[in-house]
Amino acid sequence: MDFDLSIWAVRGPYILQGLWLTLALVAGVLAISTPLALAVGLALEARSRWLRAPATVLSWMVRGVPPLIILFIAYYVLPIVLDLRLESLTAAIAGFVVYNTFILGEVVSAGLRAVPKGQHEAIAAAGLPMTRSLRRIVLPQAMPSIIPPYVSYSMDMVKGTALAGAIGVTELVTRANQAIVATNRPFEILLGVAIIYGVIDAMLIAVQMWSERRWDHQGHVSP
């Protein structure tokens, strides 16, 4: 079998356009779903059952549906039900945001549960405002438990963007597949794509390691 990486000189720019679209999709989804996930995580751990119960049910329902189905709903069903036609990229962002919000919401919930119970009791005894105690005490202690699964799911999100090709988003894998059809050089193209994903994963792992060092020293944070 001959091996010709020069195919990337010809098809590389076209494929890499899909990479930038993939990265933009991931960045947009994480930017929107992260604060929403914080709200969901807080709702899942709320004392009030009127907050906790619907958040739990919604989380269970959304996480039980394959993300591809959610993308199809955003792209095909919303125009019928709400007369709202979304472009393929917008529909992909909306679908992934819904799915990731509840996935990451469970991560936040688990991180909040990892904070020692005594800290919550001390906050209640001191009568600290919720916003201040969350920002200064609870979240800094929850972050070491949140960061590893958050980065892990972010890595899954990068690879999961390939599903967006099903609704017409020409992300990295879709463009790579088109290049394979045009050139009949699957090995060289897929090897390059695998390396690209490996580099992205390595960068995210580096971010995780830096973040863990950043938060591990927090310990018990005073108000």
Side-chain angles (χ1 to χ4, degrees):
M1 181 184 71
D2 62 328
F3 186 74
D4 183 16
L5 283 179
S6 66
I7 192 68
W8 275 86
V10 179
R11 298 292 175 173
Y14 177 78
I15 296 173
L16 290 178
Q17 288 178 17
L19 170 62
W20 309 135
L21 187 56
T22 292
L23 295 177
L25 177 57
V26 171
V29 170
L30 290 179
I32 298 171
S33 61
T34 296
L36 294 177
L38 176 60
V40 169
L42 291 171
L44 290 171
E45 295 302 310
R47 294 182 179 180
S48 171
R49 66 178 181 178
W50 298 107
L51 282 176
R52 188 175 64 254
T56 301
V57 172
L58 277 174
S59 178
W60 178 79
M61 291 176 59
V62 172
R63 290 184 298 113
V65 178
L68 183 59
I69 300 300
I70 297 177
L71 292 181
F72 284 158
I73 291 173
Y75 191 65
Y76 294 114
V77 177
L78 288 184
I80 299 173
V81 176
L82 301 179
D83 194 24
L84 178 62
R85 179 67 180 179
L86 300 179
E87 297 295 330
S88 57
L89 180 59
T90 306
I93 292 174
F96 280 126
V97 162
V98 170
Y99 185 73
N100 271 38
T101 292
F102 289 95
I103 290 289
L104 297 178
E106 292 288 341
V107 170
V108 173
S109 174
L112 294 175
R113 289 196 301 271
V115 177
K117 185 178 179 181
Q119 291 294 306
H120 295 285
E121 293 173 349
I123 291 170
L128 294 174
M130 185 185 70
T131 303
R132 183 181 179 188
S133 62
L134 182 67
R135 178 173 56 88
R136 297 290 302 275
I137 301 175
V138 177
L139 279 181
Q141 295 184 66
M143 288 301 287
S145 298
I146 292 174
I147 289 170
Y150 180 92
V151 175
S152 177
Y153 282 120
S154 297
M155 293 165 68
D156 289 342
M157 171 66 198
V158 172
K159 294 181 276 287
T161 54
L163 296 174
I167 59 172
V169 179
T170 54
E171 41 66 56
L172 178 60
V173 174
T174 299
R175 286 180 178 253
N177 184 57
Q178 292 171 348
I180 290 171
V181 172
T183 63
N184 196 29
R185 307 295 299 193
F187 184 76
E188 294 90 337
I189 292 174
L190 291 177
L191 176 62
V193 171
I195 291 173
I196 290 172
Y197 277 119
V199 170
I200 295 173
D201 281 357
M203 294 173 64
L204 288 173
I205 291 172
V207 171
Q208 175 182 333
M209 294 173 63
W210 176 86
S211 299
E212 288 176 337
R213 288 196 300 269
R214 164 71 174 79
W215 291 102
D216 274 348
H217 76 281
Q218 292 294 320
H220 295 286
V221 182
S222 62

